[in-house]
């Protein structure tokens, strides 16, 4: 019997190795990591986490500690769907997404890790198992780099084994975006998979103009051209811009993804397992995409997500981007010939260096 | 110059005078109140608040204290739209609604109170001014009362001056809902404005069946027939059920309201000023409704909201329901001949008995 005996969240401020820039969040110097450890009566432990780009982490920890933990302790860890519903409805009023979903995500990931460990299976096998090798791209956060620095970063990514690369767009002048994307295409050659991410920078017609200007460079997708609240706007951008659209890192419920899919407003469905509702919600979103003949990609948390895409026949690319969290992991993600490889140990296999993290802990 | 000098949140657990029941939240014994006091350099103070039905309040306080206050201190309190945008984008990642919007709401209400006080105007006049007298209904939370108790509660509401009443529906058997609504209609007579609230209890086709069964009783509206995530479902219920639909207490962004309005999925637009983004967002939602020829109603926080509907020419009914908060207010809302009357003092005029609240404060 796997009864939840302990559920412990913690908050850390993790400095970034280098300052990151995109068109919406400006300069990012640190991110917030919220971890959640769940132990059952037999002493088996599952671990989950979520993160923010700098605000709201304290609230997420508070939701876990104050509101969710008391409602989960003593419950069977095995009935994840039931616990997920309980968490969702506990926080529904004034919740229904946002920080509530991030808190649920951290707990849900820990519960799936625990379940996989008890079953002696790597998470991707527990989830069905498709292919442990997942095509993977390097997610550059590089809007303010000049072209030389951008190409130098790109060469470093090629040396690391990446065979697909995403860059930021959304500079003040569209001509600068076009010049940067052209330089990357010329540097990488035809057929090399390249994506561009606008981080919600544009209005709808502006995004259509940008998509048309970028069409000659054969992007795999253009990401978050406008705010995630505008479903029909995305449909127009996709239809009239003529470039495939990825979005999802700022959608926080299964239903929000359904709205985009039904409206033909997205080409690449892109949930983040740490803010969409955890493994439980991510896999439903992947299946929703599959049912509509759409590929699924991912945002952030590549070490956990590699398992989810390794279980999804409609997986496209995994985003490799972890905010420099690799420094605090026992075994960072392996990239081989452009593919990330889901580890074969039981659970998700993400093991933090808790001692190193301790210095970053926030009360 | 009205510069923000102090911004202080607090969390209280307020016990309910009687246990409340509805079809989704079950029994509610206490609610969480999060207050926010903002003082400017001249010592003028504005007050705002938000609440939850029992979970998430600690997170809201944390968002205000940890994430938002440091970004507002020293800023001019006069530029509310600018500060609102800053708050929104500070919490956007892992936010975009939910607890983030409740935190923003509490601060925004305080900023508008402060502005109205400095201008020497009651809030409803600052917002344009339409009519200080707002038709008002008693919001009963009474799903588990038997018919006799329901009618006794109704008589008490009539004695308090109410001339419109809402009741709960969503019992396990539709026949019980029908019997209760019929008893109320017979008790109150033809033409007495009656509403019914299902608190998201039903699936879409079930809701259509219920609406059809309740059609003979001339409800002003049927509220929250299904989950707020299902926009097209609401449109079907409205079209095929044949009863006007109210919804909005669980929508947390202006854009979510736009989706419902555009899809012809709502008849009475029903934001809650404490979780939709405050006065700033509530008035935009009221104007959105007006632009589509729809009436606006409200949820909760009647003492603040009376000002907003008193400034909206498309206002329908104010919901009078404050979770027993009246016990902690210096001047509870006045009801005269079925209308709530917006107070004429400067600001919103809501003054808490801080000393009495102190005993309920939570660390």
């Amino acid at each position: 019997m796997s009864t939840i005996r302990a559920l412990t969240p913690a908050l850390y401020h993790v400095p970034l190795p280098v300052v990151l820039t995109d068109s919406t969040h400006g300069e990012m110097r640190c991110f917030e990591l919220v971890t959640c450890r769940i132990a059952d009566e037999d002493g088996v432990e599952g671990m989950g986490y979520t993160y923010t780009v700098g605000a709201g982490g304290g609230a997420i920890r508070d939701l876990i500690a104050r509101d969710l933990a008391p409602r989960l302790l003593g419950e069977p860890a095995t009935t994840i769907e039931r616990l997920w519903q309980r968490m969702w409805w506990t926080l529904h009023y004034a919740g229904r997404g946002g920080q509530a979903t991030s808190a649920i995500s951290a707990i849900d990931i820990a519960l799936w890790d625990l379940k996989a460990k008890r079953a002696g299976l790597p998470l991707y096998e527990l989830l069905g198992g498709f292919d442990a090798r997942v095509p993977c791209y390097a997610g550059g956060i590089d809007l303010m780099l000049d072209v030389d620095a951008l190409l130098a970063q790109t060469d470093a990514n090629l040396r690391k084994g990446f065979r697909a690369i995403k860059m930021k767009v959304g500079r003040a002048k569209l001509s600068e975006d076009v010049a940067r994307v052209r330089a990357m295409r010329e540097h990488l050659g035809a057929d090399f998979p390249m994506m561009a991410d606008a981080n919600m920078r544009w209005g709808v017609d502006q995004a259509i103009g940008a998509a048309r200007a970028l069409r000659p460079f054969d992007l795999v997708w253009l990401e978050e051209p406008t705010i995630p609240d505008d479903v029909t706007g995305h449909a127009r951008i996709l239809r009239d811009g003529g470039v495939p659209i990825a979005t999802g890192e700022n959608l926080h419920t299964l239903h929000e993804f359904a709205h985009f899919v039904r409206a033909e407003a997205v080409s690449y469905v892109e949930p983040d397992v740490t803010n969409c509702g955890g493994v439980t919600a991510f896999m439903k979103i992947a299946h929703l995409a599959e049912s509509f003949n759409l590929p699924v990609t991912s945002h952030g948390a590549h070490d956990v997500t590699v398992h989810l895409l390794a279980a999804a026949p409609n997986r496209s690319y995994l985003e490799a981007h972890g905010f420099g969290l690799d420094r605090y992991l026992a075994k960072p993600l392996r990239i081989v010939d452009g593919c990330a490889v889901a580890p074969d140990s039981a659970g998700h296999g993400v093991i933090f260096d808790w001692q190193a993290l301790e210095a970053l802990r926030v009360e």
Side-chain angles (χ1 to χ4, degrees), chain A:
Chain A
M1 186 65 179
S2 179
T3 301
I4 298 175
R5 184 180 53 75
L7 197 163
T8 317
L11 171 64
Y12 307 91
H13 280 180
V14 182
L16 289 167
V18 293
V19 175
L20 302 177
T21 53
D22 72 32
S23 66
T24 294
H25 304 98
E27 289 194 352
M28 291 170 275
R29 293 174 187 280
C30 96
F31 76 103
E32 296 179 306
L33 172 71
V34 181
T35 59
C36 176
R37 299 162 85 165
I38 297 180
D40 71 10
E41 279 188 338
D42 299 330
V44 184
E45 186 177 296
M47 192 281 292
Y49 71 89
T50 184
Y51 63 94
T52 83
V53 297
I60 294 167
R61 180 186 57 184
D62 198 88
L63 291 167
I64 296 173
R66 187 188 301 264
D67 298 308
L68 297 179
R71 291 169 169 92
L72 298 179
L73 290 170
E75 295 294 318
T78 45
T79 57
I80 300 179
E81 280 284 358
R82 199 175 62 81
L83 298 179
W84 199 100
Q85 292 294 324
R86 178 178 294 188
M87 294 192 282
W88 177 256
W89 286 105
T90 292
L91 295 178
H92 188 276
Y93 186 84
R96 232 194 107 236
Q99 284 78 19
T101 313
S102 290
I104 293 170
S105 300
I107 292 173
D108 182 87
I109 293 167
L111 288 170
W112 278 101
D113 186 36
L114 179 56
K115 187 187 284 281
K117 279 180 180 155
R118 287 187 67 102
L121 293 172
L123 182 56
Y124 79 94
E125 284 196 11
L126 183 69
L127 294 172
F130 174 66
D131 184 351
R133 294 165 58 90
V134 179
C136 178
Y137 73 87
I141 301 188
D142 47 29
L143 186 68
M144 298 325 290
L145 297 186
D146 63 26
V147 169
D148 287 346
L150 183 62
L151 299 184
Q153 174 187 277
T154 298
D155 288 336
N157 279 326
L158 294 172
R159 284 193 298 274
K160 287 179 198 159
F162 287 107
R163 296 296 174 262
I165 292 177
K166 187 172 82 182
M167 61 183 292
K168 296 291 183 189
V169 292
R171 292 185 52 136
K173 297 178 183 172
L174 178 57
S175 61
E176 294 180 359
D177 286 331
V178 171
R180 289 159 57 79
V181 174
R182 176 184 291 120
M184 283 283 279
R185 174 53 75 206
E186 286 172 357
H187 190 68
L188 292 165
D191 300 321
F192 189 98
M194 261 176 61
M195 304 83 162
D197 183 357
N199 288 100
M200 311 171 276
R201 168 77 182 200
W202 298 315
V204 172
D205 285 292
Q206 197 181 7
I208 292 169
R212 287 175 175 168
L214 296 172
R215 209 153 45 178
F217 307 111
D218 290 321
L219 294 172
V220 178
W221 70 64
L222 179 60
E223 186 169 325
E224 281 205 311
T226 194
I227 57 171
D229 313 283
D230 191 354
V231 183
T232 54
H234 277 80
R236 276 187 62 216
I237 296 166
L238 175 52
R239 191 187 60 214
D240 297 345
V243 175
I245 298 297
T247 195
E249 72 184 78
N250 287 301
L251 303 179
H252 301 312
T253 73
L254 173 61
H255 306 293
E256 287 199 290
F257 283 92
H259 297 159
F260 273 82
V261 167
R262 172 156 59 185
E264 300 179 13
V266 60
S267 318
Y268 287 81
V269 174
E270 186 191 7
D272 185 317
V273 66
T274 70
N275 73 30
C276 77
V279 176
T280 299
F282 188 106
M283 293 310 296
K284 290 177 184 175
I285 293 161
H287 298 158
L288 166 72
E290 187 181 359
S291 72
F292 278 80
N293 193 28
L294 293 174
V296 60
T297 175
S298 68
H299 178 261
H302 54 240
D303 34 34
V304 172
T305 314
V306 66
H307 286 276
L308 314 189
L309 294 186
N314 57 325
R315 93 280 188 277
S316 56
Y317 293 92
L318 174 78
E319 180 185 41
H321 168 52
F323 284 111
L325 202 56
D326 282 358
R327 293 167 293 163
Y328 303 97
L329 293 178
K331 293 183 195 169
L333 186 66
R334 265 203 315 146
I335 311 287
V336 180
D337 296 335
C339 285
V341 185
D344 262 330
S345 50
H348 52 47
V350 180
I351 300 164
F352 280 123
D353 179 346
W354 296 105
Q355 213 168 350
L357 276 179
E358 193 56 34
L360 309 176
R361 198 209 284 249
V362 179
E363 287 312 314

